[in-house]
Amino acid sequence: MTSDTPARRRLRVFSRRRGAPSRARRRLGAAVRMLAALALAGGVYTAFAPGAFADEPRQLSATALEGKQLYDNSCISCHGRDGQGVDDRGPSLIGVGSASVEFQVGTGRMPMVRQEAQAEQKKPLFDKNQTKQLGQYIQELGGGPQVPEGELVENLDENAEALARGGELFRVNCTSCHGFGGGGGALSSGKFAPSLSASTPEEIYAAMLSGPQNMPVFGDNQLTPEEKREIITYITLQLQEDRDPGGLFNLGRYGPSTEGVAIFLVGITILVFTSLWIAGKS
Amino acid sequence: MKRRKADLQQAPVTFAKGVDERFQASTPLRALLNKVFPDHWSFLLGEIALFSFIILLLTGVFLTLFFDPSMTETAYQGAYPALRGTEMSQAYASSLHLSFEVRGGLFMRQMHHWAALLFMAAIVVHMLRIFFTGAYRKPREANWVIGMALFLLGFLAGFTGYSLPDDGLSGTGLRIASAIMLSIPVVGTWVSASIFGGEFPGHLIIGRFYIAHVLLIPGGLLALITVHLGLVFKQKHTQWPGPMRTNTNVVGERMFPRYALKQGGFFMAVFGTVALLAGLFQINPIWLFGPYRASEVSSASQPDWYVMFLDGLVRLMPNWQIYIGDYSIPPLFWPAVVGLGFFTTAPMAWPWLEARKTGDKRVHNLLERPRDNPERVGIGSMAVTFFLIGTISGGNDVIADKFHISLNAMTWGGRIGLIVLPALAYFIAVRVCLGLQQHDREVLAHGVETGIIRRLPNGQFVEIHQPLGPVDEHGHPVPIEYGGWVVPKKMNRVGALAPAVKGFFYPVEKPSEAPVSPGMPPVSGDTREEITSGRK
């Protein structure tokens, strides 16, 4: 280009200065604005956000301190110091809440005997009081869902529809694993949904809240506390009471599989012996 | 007014005479009442099925009086509190009404269901007896085929009945049935749509199944049972080989009075057993399943036991989907359509297949002991093993849960077992048969083991055998031909002890011909009494 002489360039620079700021100036301006924005955001954050680390040891209540003693003896090897979890051994307990602890420890599932598909229910290692202490400790460590105080079973004299509504909710949410009679069922690879025949209202509520083992969590957004109580009403007053008519034996309510066993073990056996007897009398 | 004195003793005679003079009934009746039936406990197994069918008809009629086969939606307001206010079909509501409010309704429903299970179980047990004793051989091939058809009809009757209450479990079963229909390549969609009257579940299926269940299928069953029994009558019942029994006679009891009385008693026993089951054991608690909703499925949803082998084969089938152009064959098609079709129809050809293989075209009225035909027992054991593995796999989730086995391990065990175990069962069954045969021949050749060990002067020990027949001049038993019937293998069986009192009840009658033995003095005759009217 022949017109690109230094004189012309200067001229162009001059004329540009008149129209728009130079590239250097624009960059400078952008940097200043960015710095100001950062300072503002950072300042607001420092002013309002809590400290990133707890600066001193938590003030645990007396109950929680007792729980910490138990925890440090029996749980720490898998769940780690202060419930932070250990890789490939036990999950972190921050935020699981006392509902989870009361279910897992209260039914004897924790402490686990060994790592396997699912912890089995067994005789609890800790008594009720100790379980409460452990739950309180975990609750104070990181919060989380808690089993509410008060009656968990609806009073059918005041709220008669609770039973039918609970049944409906049970069939929608629970039967696909626990079975229509609450007798439990198999899941894949040795996992299973346990029988509900001996579960207490507190355990059922805690299980729904915390989703133990392979059970999904039914938080208060999925099932409201009232719906949870209705389900518990159906399980405890209908399924556990065995108020079904139809004979002395309900064959475990496992459906046609036990009925098929019964027809051969009882029906065919009786009749084969009868035919042996009748044919023998000749 | 002159009062005629009735001669009560002569009354039956005059009545029978009057009937015969009008209808000439005595000649055919005499033949009928004198017809001889052979007697053996295993011949009574088919009667269990017959009597259960009668119970099914009786209880079924009762159920139809209260059942409403309609899919109209209604809000339940009946006696069962845990479903009150729930939306459900009229069919389910009337089943609940029948169970909770009709007097004796639940008992009748349970009797009907238990009798249905017993009907199918007795058919299978009876069929096993027929198969393993070779009773299906010429001339009775047709009755074998009819028996298989009866099983298939019973299967359909059971499935339609299982679906009628329209509860959660039966709806799940119907959903599977519709899936099986849909799995048929090309025509599946049309088959399902024509049976359900559109998309599953529609509003027609309960009404259609109702007509099939209370009219069409029972009609077919009744017709086939009539032909089945008519053929037994015409071709005469088979009998076991034994003294006086040949291929051309029938040794047994006359139809009247003994055989008829026994059958009447046996009917009462079957009726009592079904009533006992219905009174003691809960079956199909429909109120727990809730009304059918496509979104609700319970774990451990199984069909009744005679369909469970089909369910098991479906569970064991690997996930092999075949694509051909725009069409696909889902894996469900192979076990549920091809498998069911094959396993219910192919055995019908068995009598001809066996006759072709052995070249045996003779008429057989005598049964064969299972051990005398190891090949047949082996093949039967294969079939039974296959059926059992299928059935167990149909309930594999319940077994996995209750016996703490991984469900995946159960599935793989079933898959491998389905291939390996029938072959193993064949081998074991054949070896057992051959072993039993050999032992029979051994006893016939050498005699019964007495358990007496004698020591010879040279110090040798020998066991004394009791020959079953004559001995030659050296004291060795003359070999006896095998007669196709039980060979006595214990000294008690050849009269070393008085006949033991058989049975598990205190005997009403004492053994009449007890030999003189220190163990049991002979029965004296002076305890008998003359039968009188009882009036003093």
Side-chain angles (χ1 to χ4, degrees), chain A residues 175-177 180 183 189 245-246 248-249 256 259, chain B residues 110 280 282 284 287 297-299 302-303 402 408:
Chain A
T175 50
S176 54
C177 299
F180 57 83
S189 304
L248 289 179
F249 308 101
E259 291 159 10
Chain B
Q110 298 207 130
L280 287 180
Q282 184 184 70
N284 203 20
W287 50 92
V297 178
S298 167
S299 69
Q302 262 106 12
K402 298 310 157 202
N408 304 42

mmCIF file with all atom_site columns, all heavy atoms in Angstrom, chain A residues 175-177 180 183 189 245-246 248-249 256 259, chain B residues 110 280 282 284 287 297-299 302-303 402 408:
data_model
loop_
_atom_site.group_PDB
_atom_site.id
_atom_site.type_symbol
_atom_site.label_atom_id
_atom_site.label_alt_id
_atom_site.label_comp_id
_atom_site.label_asym_id
_atom_site.label_entity_id
_atom_site.label_seq_id
_atom_site.pdbx_PDB_ins_code
_atom_site.Cartn_x
_atom_site.Cartn_y
_atom_site.Cartn_z
_atom_site.occupancy
_atom_site.B_iso_or_equiv
_atom_site.pdbx_formal_charge
_atom_site.auth_seq_id
_atom_site.auth_comp_id
_atom_site.auth_asym_id
_atom_site.auth_atom_id
_atom_site.pdbx_PDB_model_num
ATOM 1   N N   . THR A 1 175 ? -44.625 -51.584 47.559 1.00 0.00 ? 175 THR A N   1
ATOM 2   C CA  . THR A 1 175 ? -44.793 -53.003 47.231 1.00 0.00 ? 175 THR A CA  1
ATOM 3   C C   . THR A 1 175 ? -43.812 -53.492 46.182 1.00 0.00 ? 175 THR A C   1
ATOM 4   O O   . THR A 1 175 ? -43.512 -54.679 46.149 1.00 0.00 ? 175 THR A O   1
ATOM 5   C CB  . THR A 1 175 ? -46.208 -53.290 46.715 1.00 0.00 ? 175 THR A CB  1
ATOM 6   O OG1 . THR A 1 175 ? -46.509 -52.359 45.706 1.00 0.00 ? 175 THR A OG1 1
ATOM 7   C CG2 . THR A 1 175 ? -47.211 -53.245 47.805 1.00 0.00 ? 175 THR A CG2 1
ATOM 8   N N   . SER A 1 176 ? -43.305 -52.586 45.333 1.00 0.00 ? 176 SER A N   1
ATOM 9   C CA  . SER A 1 176 ? -42.439 -53.089 44.267 1.00 0.00 ? 176 SER A CA  1
ATOM 10  C C   . SER A 1 176 ? -41.201 -53.763 44.836 1.00 0.00 ? 176 SER A C   1
ATOM 11  O O   . SER A 1 176 ? -40.615 -54.615 44.175 1.00 0.00 ? 176 SER A O   1
ATOM 12  C CB  . SER A 1 176 ? -42.060 -51.962 43.319 1.00 0.00 ? 176 SER A CB  1
ATOM 13  O OG  . SER A 1 176 ? -41.498 -50.918 44.054 1.00 0.00 ? 176 SER A OG  1
ATOM 14  N N   . CYS A 1 177 ? -40.800 -53.423 46.051 1.00 0.00 ? 177 CYS A N   1
ATOM 15  C CA  . CYS A 1 177 ? -39.685 -54.145 46.673 1.00 0.00 ? 177 CYS A CA  1
ATOM 16  C C   . CYS A 1 177 ? -40.143 -54.988 47.873 1.00 0.00 ? 177 CYS A C   1
ATOM 17  O O   . CYS A 1 177 ? -39.773 -56.142 47.999 1.00 0.00 ? 177 CYS A O   1
ATOM 18  C CB  . CYS A 1 177 ? -38.606 -53.177 47.138 1.00 0.00 ? 177 CYS A CB  1
ATOM 19  S SG  . CYS A 1 177 ? -37.886 -52.218 45.813 1.00 0.00 ? 177 CYS A SG  1
ATOM 20  N N   . PHE A 1 180 ? -46.598 -57.088 48.382 1.00 0.00 ? 180 PHE A N   1
ATOM 21  C CA  . PHE A 1 180 ? -47.923 -56.588 48.754 1.00 0.00 ? 180 PHE A CA  1
ATOM 22  C C   . PHE A 1 180 ? -48.233 -56.845 50.223 1.00 0.00 ? 180 PHE A C   1
ATOM 23  O O   . PHE A 1 180 ? -49.001 -56.137 50.843 1.00 0.00 ? 180 PHE A O   1
ATOM 24  C CB  . PHE A 1 180 ? -48.997 -57.220 47.878 1.00 0.00 ? 180 PHE A CB  1
ATOM 25  C CG  . PHE A 1 180 ? -49.000 -58.719 47.930 1.00 0.00 ? 180 PHE A CG  1
ATOM 26  C CD1 . PHE A 1 180 ? -49.638 -59.381 48.955 1.00 0.00 ? 180 PHE A CD1 1
ATOM 27  C CD2 . PHE A 1 180 ? -48.356 -59.463 46.950 1.00 0.00 ? 180 PHE A CD2 1
ATOM 28  C CE1 . PHE A 1 180 ? -49.628 -60.760 49.019 1.00 0.00 ? 180 PHE A CE1 1
ATOM 29  C CE2 . PHE A 1 180 ? -48.346 -60.839 47.005 1.00 0.00 ? 180 PHE A CE2 1
ATOM 30  C CZ  . PHE A 1 180 ? -48.982 -61.490 48.045 1.00 0.00 ? 180 PHE A CZ  1
ATOM 31  N N   . GLY A 1 183 ? -43.762 -58.652 53.123 1.00 0.00 ? 183 GLY A N   1
ATOM 32  C CA  . GLY A 1 183 ? -42.918 -59.775 53.517 1.00 0.00 ? 183 GLY A CA  1
ATOM 33  C C   . GLY A 1 183 ? -41.494 -59.662 53.005 1.00 0.00 ? 183 GLY A C   1
ATOM 34  O O   . GLY A 1 183 ? -40.662 -60.518 53.292 1.00 0.00 ? 183 GLY A O   1
ATOM 35  N N   . SER A 1 189 ? -28.173 -59.193 42.967 1.00 0.00 ? 189 SER A N   1
ATOM 36  C CA  . SER A 1 189 ? -26.847 -59.479 43.540 1.00 0.00 ? 189 SER A CA  1
ATOM 37  C C   . SER A 1 189 ? -26.833 -59.555 45.062 1.00 0.00 ? 189 SER A C   1
ATOM 38  O O   . SER A 1 189 ? -25.979 -58.973 45.717 1.00 0.00 ? 189 SER A O   1
ATOM 39  C CB  . SER A 1 189 ? -25.818 -58.420 43.104 1.00 0.00 ? 189 SER A CB  1
ATOM 40  O OG  . SER A 1 189 ? -25.771 -58.363 41.726 1.00 0.00 ? 189 SER A OG  1
ATOM 41  N N   . PRO A 1 245 ? -58.969 -62.148 56.982 1.00 0.00 ? 245 PRO A N   1
ATOM 42  C CA  . PRO A 1 245 ? -59.658 -63.427 57.125 1.00 0.00 ? 245 PRO A CA  1
ATOM 43  C C   . PRO A 1 245 ? -59.065 -64.434 56.144 1.00 0.00 ? 245 PRO A C   1
ATOM 44  O O   . PRO A 1 245 ? -58.207 -64.088 55.353 1.00 0.00 ? 245 PRO A O   1
ATOM 45  C CB  . PRO A 1 245 ? -61.088 -63.075 56.740 1.00 0.00 ? 245 PRO A CB  1
ATOM 46  C CG  . PRO A 1 245 ? -60.946 -61.952 55.789 1.00 0.00 ? 245 PRO A CG  1
ATOM 47  C CD  . PRO A 1 245 ? -59.717 -61.190 56.182 1.00 0.00 ? 245 PRO A CD  1
ATOM 48  N N   . GLY A 1 246 ? -59.502 -65.664 56.221 1.00 0.00 ? 246 GLY A N   1
ATOM 49  C CA  . GLY A 1 246 ? -59.083 -66.617 55.200 1.00 0.00 ? 246 GLY A CA  1
ATOM 50  C C   . GLY A 1 246 ? -58.334 -67.808 55.748 1.00 0.00 ? 246 GLY A C   1
ATOM 51  O O   . GLY A 1 246 ? -57.721 -68.540 54.996 1.00 0.00 ? 246 GLY A O   1
ATOM 52  N N   . LEU A 1 248 ? -56.214 -70.092 59.196 1.00 0.00 ? 248 LEU A N   1
ATOM 53  C CA  . LEU A 1 248 ? -55.249 -69.965 60.280 1.00 0.00 ? 248 LEU A CA  1
ATOM 54  C C   . LEU A 1 248 ? -53.870 -69.576 59.764 1.00 0.00 ? 248 LEU A C   1
ATOM 55  O O   . LEU A 1 248 ? -53.095 -68.951 60.441 1.00 0.00 ? 248 LEU A O   1
ATOM 56  C CB  . LEU A 1 248 ? -55.145 -71.291 61.029 1.00 0.00 ? 248 LEU A CB  1
ATOM 57  C CG  . LEU A 1 248 ? -56.337 -71.683 61.885 1.00 0.00 ? 248 LEU A CG  1
ATOM 58  C CD1 . LEU A 1 248 ? -56.076 -73.027 62.526 1.00 0.00 ? 248 LEU A CD1 1
ATOM 59  C CD2 . LEU A 1 248 ? -56.587 -70.643 62.953 1.00 0.00 ? 248 LEU A CD2 1
ATOM 60  N N   . PHE A 1 249 ? -53.564 -70.008 58.540 1.00 0.00 ? 249 PHE A N   1
ATOM 61  C CA  . PHE A 1 249 ? -52.214 -69.789 57.999 1.00 0.00 ? 249 PHE A CA  1
ATOM 62  C C   . PHE A 1 249 ? -52.306 -68.913 56.766 1.00 0.00 ? 249 PHE A C   1
ATOM 63  O O   . PHE A 1 249 ? -53.124 -69.169 55.890 1.00 0.00 ? 249 PHE A O   1
ATOM 64  C CB  . PHE A 1 249 ? -51.570 -71.128 57.630 1.00 0.00 ? 249 PHE A CB  1
ATOM 65  C CG  . PHE A 1 249 ? -51.610 -72.126 58.734 1.00 0.00 ? 249 PHE A CG  1
ATOM 66  C CD1 . PHE A 1 249 ? -52.559 -73.135 58.726 1.00 0.00 ? 249 PHE A CD1 1
ATOM 67  C CD2 . PHE A 1 249 ? -50.725 -72.057 59.786 1.00 0.00 ? 249 PHE A CD2 1
ATOM 68  C CE1 . PHE A 1 249 ? -52.616 -74.060 59.742 1.00 0.00 ? 249 PHE A CE1 1
ATOM 69  C CE2 . PHE A 1 249 ? -50.783 -72.973 60.810 1.00 0.00 ? 249 PHE A CE2 1
ATOM 70  C CZ  . PHE A 1 249 ? -51.724 -73.980 60.785 1.00 0.00 ? 249 PHE A CZ  1
ATOM 71  N N   . PRO A 1 256 ? -48.489 -66.922 44.986 1.00 0.00 ? 256 PRO A N   1
ATOM 72  C CA  . PRO A 1 256 ? -48.712 -68.269 44.465 1.00 0.00 ? 256 PRO A CA  1
ATOM 73  C C   . PRO A 1 256 ? -47.557 -69.240 44.674 1.00 0.00 ? 256 PRO A C   1
ATOM 74  O O   . PRO A 1 256 ? -47.761 -70.444 44.551 1.00 0.00 ? 256 PRO A O   1
ATOM 75  C CB  . PRO A 1 256 ? -48.935 -68.023 42.973 1.00 0.00 ? 256 PRO A CB  1
ATOM 76  C CG  . PRO A 1 256 ? -49.399 -66.622 42.900 1.00 0.00 ? 256 PRO A CG  1
ATOM 77  C CD  . PRO A 1 256 ? -48.683 -65.900 43.983 1.00 0.00 ? 256 PRO A CD  1
ATOM 78  N N   . GLU A 1 259 ? -48.332 -71.065 47.788 1.00 0.00 ? 259 GLU A N   1
ATOM 79  C CA  . GLU A 1 259 ? -49.581 -71.797 47.575 1.00 0.00 ? 259 GLU A CA  1
ATOM 80  C C   . GLU A 1 259 ? -49.321 -73.061 46.753 1.00 0.00 ? 259 GLU A C   1
ATOM 81  O O   . GLU A 1 259 ? -49.904 -74.118 47.011 1.00 0.00 ? 259 GLU A O   1
ATOM 82  C CB  . GLU A 1 259 ? -50.594 -70.897 46.862 1.00 0.00 ? 259 GLU A CB  1
ATOM 83  C CG  . GLU A 1 259 ? -51.105 -69.758 47.732 1.00 0.00 ? 259 GLU A CG  1
ATOM 84  C CD  . GLU A 1 259 ? -51.688 -68.599 46.938 1.00 0.00 ? 259 GLU A CD  1
ATOM 85  O OE1 . GLU A 1 259 ? -51.882 -68.743 45.708 1.00 0.00 ? 259 GLU A OE1 1
ATOM 86  O OE2 . GLU A 1 259 ? -51.934 -67.556 47.541 1.00 0.00 ? 259 GLU A OE2 1
ATOM 87  N N   . GLN B 2 110 ? -62.087 -69.530 48.336 1.00 0.00 ? 110 GLN B N   1
ATOM 88  C CA  . GLN B 2 110 ? -60.839 -70.252 48.629 1.00 0.00 ? 110 GLN B CA  1
ATOM 89  C C   . GLN B 2 110 ? -60.958 -71.718 48.212 1.00 0.00 ? 110 GLN B C   1
ATOM 90  O O   . GLN B 2 110 ? -59.996 -72.295 47.698 1.00 0.00 ? 110 GLN B O   1
ATOM 91  C CB  . GLN B 2 110 ? -60.502 -70.126 50.118 1.00 0.00 ? 110 GLN B CB  1
ATOM 92  C CG  . GLN B 2 110 ? -60.264 -68.690 50.532 1.00 0.00 ? 110 GLN B CG  1
ATOM 93  C CD  . GLN B 2 110 ? -59.328 -68.540 51.724 1.00 0.00 ? 110 GLN B CD  1
ATOM 94  O OE1 . GLN B 2 110 ? -58.390 -67.784 51.684 1.00 0.00 ? 110 GLN B OE1 1
ATOM 95  N NE2 . GLN B 2 110 ? -59.591 -69.282 52.783 1.00 0.00 ? 110 GLN B NE2 1
ATOM 96  N N   . LEU B 2 280 ? -58.226 -73.660 56.290 1.00 0.00 ? 280 LEU B N   1
ATOM 97  C CA  . LEU B 2 280 ? -57.015 -73.434 57.077 1.00 0.00 ? 280 LEU B CA  1
ATOM 98  C C   . LEU B 2 280 ? -56.038 -72.469 56.419 1.00 0.00 ? 280 LEU B C   1
ATOM 99  O O   . LEU B 2 280 ? -55.359 -71.717 57.091 1.00 0.00 ? 280 LEU B O   1
ATOM 100 C CB  . LEU B 2 280 ? -56.291 -74.768 57.319 1.00 0.00 ? 280 LEU B CB  1
ATOM 101 C CG  . LEU B 2 280 ? -56.930 -75.725 58.305 1.00 0.00 ? 280 LEU B CG  1
ATOM 102 C CD1 . LEU B 2 280 ? -56.085 -76.972 58.423 1.00 0.00 ? 280 LEU B CD1 1
ATOM 103 C CD2 . LEU B 2 280 ? -57.072 -75.069 59.660 1.00 0.00 ? 280 LEU B CD2 1
ATOM 104 N N   . GLN B 2 282 ? -54.970 -69.448 53.829 1.00 0.00 ? 282 GLN B N   1
ATOM 105 C CA  . GLN B 2 282 ? -55.394 -68.322 53.018 1.00 0.00 ? 282 GLN B CA  1
ATOM 106 C C   . GLN B 2 282 ? -54.827 -68.467 51.621 1.00 0.00 ? 282 GLN B C   1
ATOM 107 O O   . GLN B 2 282 ? -53.685 -68.845 51.446 1.00 0.00 ? 282 GLN B O   1
ATOM 108 C CB  . GLN B 2 282 ? -54.853 -67.039 53.650 1.00 0.00 ? 282 GLN B CB  1
ATOM 109 C CG  . GLN B 2 282 ? -55.293 -65.785 52.953 1.00 0.00 ? 282 GLN B CG  1
ATOM 110 C CD  . GLN B 2 282 ? -54.636 -64.573 53.590 1.00 0.00 ? 282 GLN B CD  1
ATOM 111 O OE1 . GLN B 2 282 ? -53.434 -64.364 53.470 1.00 0.00 ? 282 GLN B OE1 1
ATOM 112 N NE2 . GLN B 2 282 ? -55.405 -63.794 54.301 1.00 0.00 ? 282 GLN B NE2 1
ATOM 113 N N   . ASN B 2 284 ? -54.677 -66.361 47.782 1.00 0.00 ? 284 ASN B N   1
ATOM 114 C CA  . ASN B 2 284 ? -54.961 -65.207 46.944 1.00 0.00 ? 284 ASN B CA  1
ATOM 115 C C   . ASN B 2 284 ? -55.694 -64.112 47.713 1.00 0.00 ? 284 ASN B C   1
ATOM 116 O O   . ASN B 2 284 ? -56.862 -63.833 47.436 1.00 0.00 ? 284 ASN B O   1
ATOM 117 C CB  . ASN B 2 284 ? -55.788 -65.647 45.730 1.00 0.00 ? 284 ASN B CB  1
ATOM 118 C CG  . ASN B 2 284 ? -55.655 -64.688 44.577 1.00 0.00 ? 284 ASN B CG  1
ATOM 119 O OD1 . ASN B 2 284 ? -54.700 -63.921 44.518 1.00 0.00 ? 284 ASN B OD1 1
ATOM 120 N ND2 . ASN B 2 284 ? -56.608 -64.717 43.678 1.00 0.00 ? 284 ASN B ND2 1
ATOM 121 N N   . TRP B 2 287 ? -57.569 -58.573 48.619 1.00 0.00 ? 287 TRP B N   1
ATOM 122 C CA  . TRP B 2 287 ? -57.717 -57.253 49.231 1.00 0.00 ? 287 TRP B CA  1
ATOM 123 C C   . TRP B 2 287 ? -56.372 -56.602 49.502 1.00 0.00 ? 287 TRP B C   1
ATOM 124 O O   . TRP B 2 287 ? -56.277 -55.390 49.627 1.00 0.00 ? 287 TRP B O   1
ATOM 125 C CB  . TRP B 2 287 ? -58.537 -57.369 50.513 1.00 0.00 ? 287 TRP B CB  1
ATOM 126 C CG  . TRP B 2 287 ? -58.043 -58.459 51.428 1.00 0.00 ? 287 TRP B CG  1
ATOM 127 C CD1 . TRP B 2 287 ? -57.137 -58.327 52.429 1.00 0.00 ? 287 TRP B CD1 1
ATOM 128 C CD2 . TRP B 2 287 ? -58.435 -59.822 51.420 1.00 0.00 ? 287 TRP B CD2 1
ATOM 129 N NE1 . TRP B 2 287 ? -56.926 -59.530 53.037 1.00 0.00 ? 287 TRP B NE1 1
ATOM 130 C CE2 . TRP B 2 287 ? -57.711 -60.468 52.443 1.00 0.00 ? 287 TRP B CE2 1
ATOM 131 C CE3 . TRP B 2 287 ? -59.320 -60.575 50.650 1.00 0.00 ? 287 TRP B CE3 1
ATOM 132 C CZ2 . TRP B 2 287 ? -57.841 -61.835 52.718 1.00 0.00 ? 287 TRP B CZ2 1
ATOM 133 C CZ3 . TRP B 2 287 ? -59.451 -61.921 50.924 1.00 0.00 ? 287 TRP B CZ3 1
ATOM 134 C CH2 . TRP B 2 287 ? -58.721 -62.539 51.940 1.00 0.00 ? 287 TRP B CH2 1
ATOM 135 N N   . VAL B 2 297 ? -46.737 -52.474 40.846 1.00 0.00 ? 297 VAL B N   1
ATOM 136 C CA  . VAL B 2 297 ? -46.354 -53.879 40.725 1.00 0.00 ? 297 VAL B CA  1
ATOM 137 C C   . VAL B 2 297 ? -45.742 -54.304 42.052 1.00 0.00 ? 297 VAL B C   1
ATOM 138 O O   . VAL B 2 297 ? -44.939 -53.582 42.626 1.00 0.00 ? 297 VAL B O   1
ATOM 139 C CB  . VAL B 2 297 ? -45.339 -54.104 39.591 1.00 0.00 ? 297 VAL B CB  1
ATOM 140 C CG1 . VAL B 2 297 ? -44.926 -55.553 39.534 1.00 0.00 ? 297 VAL B CG1 1
ATOM 141 C CG2 . VAL B 2 297 ? -45.923 -53.693 38.263 1.00 0.00 ? 297 VAL B CG2 1
ATOM 142 N N   . SER B 2 298 ? -46.136 -55.456 42.534 1.00 0.00 ? 298 SER B N   1
ATOM 143 C CA  . SER B 2 298 ? -45.555 -55.963 43.774 1.00 0.00 ? 298 SER B CA  1
ATOM 144 C C   . SER B 2 298 ? -44.406 -56.895 43.450 1.00 0.00 ? 298 SER B C   1
ATOM 145 O O   . SER B 2 298 ? -44.403 -57.549 42.403 1.00 0.00 ? 298 SER B O   1
ATOM 146 C CB  . SER B 2 298 ? -46.626 -56.712 44.556 1.00 0.00 ? 298 SER B CB  1
ATOM 147 O OG  . SER B 2 298 ? -46.035 -57.451 45.591 1.00 0.00 ? 298 SER B OG  1
ATOM 148 N N   . SER B 2 299 ? -43.417 -56.933 44.351 1.00 0.00 ? 299 SER B N   1
ATOM 149 C CA  . SER B 2 299 ? -42.418 -57.988 44.200 1.00 0.00 ? 299 SER B CA  1
ATOM 150 C C   . SER B 2 299 ? -43.102 -59.320 44.489 1.00 0.00 ? 299 SER B C   1
ATOM 151 O O   . SER B 2 299 ? -44.182 -59.352 45.073 1.00 0.00 ? 299 SER B O   1
ATOM 152 C CB  . SER B 2 299 ? -41.259 -57.760 45.163 1.00 0.00 ? 299 SER B CB  1
ATOM 153 O OG  . SER B 2 299 ? -41.675 -57.980 46.483 1.00 0.00 ? 299 SER B OG  1
ATOM 154 N N   . GLN B 2 302 ? -46.280 -63.744 41.171 1.00 0.00 ? 302 GLN B N   1
ATOM 155 C CA  . GLN B 2 302 ? -46.106 -64.987 40.427 1.00 0.00 ? 302 GLN B CA  1
ATOM 156 C C   . GLN B 2 302 ? -47.433 -65.487 39.895 1.00 0.00 ? 302 GLN B C   1
ATOM 157 O O   . GLN B 2 302 ? -48.478 -65.169 40.454 1.00 0.00 ? 302 GLN B O   1
ATOM 158 C CB  . GLN B 2 302 ? -45.524 -66.076 41.330 1.00 0.00 ? 302 GLN B CB  1
ATOM 159 C CG  . GLN B 2 302 ? -44.039 -66.237 41.193 1.00 0.00 ? 302 GLN B CG  1
ATOM 160 C CD  . GLN B 2 302 ? -43.325 -65.666 42.363 1.00 0.00 ? 302 GLN B CD  1
ATOM 161 O OE1 . GLN B 2 302 ? -43.926 -65.340 43.366 1.00 0.00 ? 302 GLN B OE1 1
ATOM 162 N NE2 . GLN B 2 302 ? -42.022 -65.518 42.247 1.00 0.00 ? 302 GLN B NE2 1
ATOM 163 N N   . PRO B 2 303 ? -47.404 -66.293 38.842 1.00 0.00 ? 303 PRO B N   1
ATOM 164 C CA  . PRO B 2 303 ? -48.623 -66.974 38.424 1.00 0.00 ? 303 PRO B CA  1
ATOM 165 C C   . PRO B 2 303 ? -48.850 -68.187 39.323 1.00 0.00 ? 303 PRO B C   1
ATOM 166 O O   . PRO B 2 303 ? -48.004 -68.536 40.140 1.00 0.00 ? 303 PRO B O   1
ATOM 167 C CB  . PRO B 2 303 ? -48.305 -67.396 36.994 1.00 0.00 ? 303 PRO B CB  1
ATOM 168 C CG  . PRO B 2 303 ? -46.833 -67.597 36.993 1.00 0.00 ? 303 PRO B CG  1
ATOM 169 C CD  . PRO B 2 303 ? -46.272 -66.608 37.970 1.00 0.00 ? 303 PRO B CD  1
ATOM 170 N N   . LYS B 2 402 ? -35.673 -65.583 50.667 1.00 0.00 ? 402 LYS B N   1
ATOM 171 C CA  . LYS B 2 402 ? -35.884 -66.306 51.915 1.00 0.00 ? 402 LYS B CA  1
ATOM 172 C C   . LYS B 2 402 ? -34.702 -67.180 52.300 1.00 0.00 ? 402 LYS B C   1
ATOM 173 O O   . LYS B 2 402 ? -34.499 -67.501 53.459 1.00 0.00 ? 402 LYS B O   1
ATOM 174 C CB  . LYS B 2 402 ? -37.153 -67.157 51.827 1.00 0.00 ? 402 LYS B CB  1
ATOM 175 C CG  . LYS B 2 402 ? -38.412 -66.348 51.627 1.00 0.00 ? 402 LYS B CG  1
ATOM 176 C CD  . LYS B 2 402 ? -38.535 -65.198 52.628 1.00 0.00 ? 402 LYS B CD  1
ATOM 177 C CE  . LYS B 2 402 ? -39.457 -64.120 52.077 1.00 0.00 ? 402 LYS B CE  1
ATOM 178 N NZ  . LYS B 2 402 ? -39.237 -62.811 52.693 1.00 0.00 ? 402 LYS B NZ  1
ATOM 179 N N   . ASN B 2 408 ? -29.023 -63.104 41.205 1.00 0.00 ? 408 ASN B N   1
ATOM 180 C CA  . ASN B 2 408 ? -28.248 -63.353 39.986 1.00 0.00 ? 408 ASN B CA  1
ATOM 181 C C   . ASN B 2 408 ? -27.710 -64.776 39.971 1.00 0.00 ? 408 ASN B C   1
ATOM 182 O O   . ASN B 2 408 ? -27.704 -65.441 38.933 1.00 0.00 ? 408 ASN B O   1
ATOM 183 C CB  . ASN B 2 408 ? -27.072 -62.375 39.915 1.00 0.00 ? 408 ASN B CB  1
ATOM 184 C CG  . ASN B 2 408 ? -27.523 -60.935 39.995 1.00 0.00 ? 408 ASN B CG  1
ATOM 185 O OD1 . ASN B 2 408 ? -28.390 -60.611 40.795 1.00 0.00 ? 408 ASN B OD1 1
ATOM 186 N ND2 . ASN B 2 408 ? -26.962 -60.094 39.172 1.00 0.00 ? 408 ASN B ND2 1
#
